[in-house]
């Protein structure tokens, strides 16, 4: 979350909570933890992106975190779970 908040592209495995936050290839990258080829393919995808594409994905990440983790949004989500 911290890197996304700073406009950086997050790279994470399918396991864990981050994969619930990231939209693959829109605001971050998700890879299959049990598939080395998938990790390699996603790293190559990142490497082959243009500067503008990386900047856009980072901005998407920043915007998502800014919107989804506002205090009011968090309060609503908490109250829904009660």
């Amino acid at each position: 979350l911290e890197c996304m908040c700073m406009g950086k592209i997050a790279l994470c495995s399918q396991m864990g909570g981050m994969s619930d936050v990231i939209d693959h290839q829109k605001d971050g990258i998700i890879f299959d933890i049990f598939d080395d080829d998938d990790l390699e393919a996603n790293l190559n995808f990142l490497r082959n992106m243009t500067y503008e594409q990386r900047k856009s994905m980072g901005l998407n990440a920043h915007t998502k975190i800014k919107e989804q983790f506002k205090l009011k949004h968090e309060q609503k989500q908490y109250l829904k779970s009660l």
Side-chain angles (χ1 to χ4, degrees):
L1 294 177
E2 290 82 2
C3 69
M4 291 176 75
C5 185
M6 296 187 65
K8 304 299 180 188
I9 300 169
L11 177 70
C12 74
S13 71
Q14 292 173 323
M15 301 184 83
M18 281 302 296
S19 63
D20 294 334
V21 175
I22 293 175
D23 288 321
H24 182 63
Q25 295 185 353
K26 181 178 181 220
D27 51 34
I29 302 293
I30 301 171
F31 65 92
D32 183 346
I33 195 168
F34 300 110
D35 185 351
D36 294 340
D37 293 333
D38 188 48
L39 174 58
E40 181 180 4
N42 280 294
L43 288 172
N44 284 329
F45 174 81
L46 283 172
R47 185 180 56 136
N48 293 324
M49 291 173 73
T50 65
Y51 172 79
E52 291 79 19
Q53 290 170 322
R54 287 191 306 270
K55 193 77 171 166
S56 177
M57 191 181 285
L59 182 60
N60 290 342
H62 174 75
T63 302
K64 175 182 265 186
I65 297 303
K66 188 176 173 184
E67 292 301 313
Q68 284 192 357
F69 292 93
K70 285 182 180 177
L71 181 58
K72 286 191 182 277
H73 183 268
E74 290 294 305
Q75 287 171 336
K76 277 184 187 178
Q77 294 296 82
Y78 177 73
L79 291 174
K80 276 181 166 177
S81 69
L82 294 178

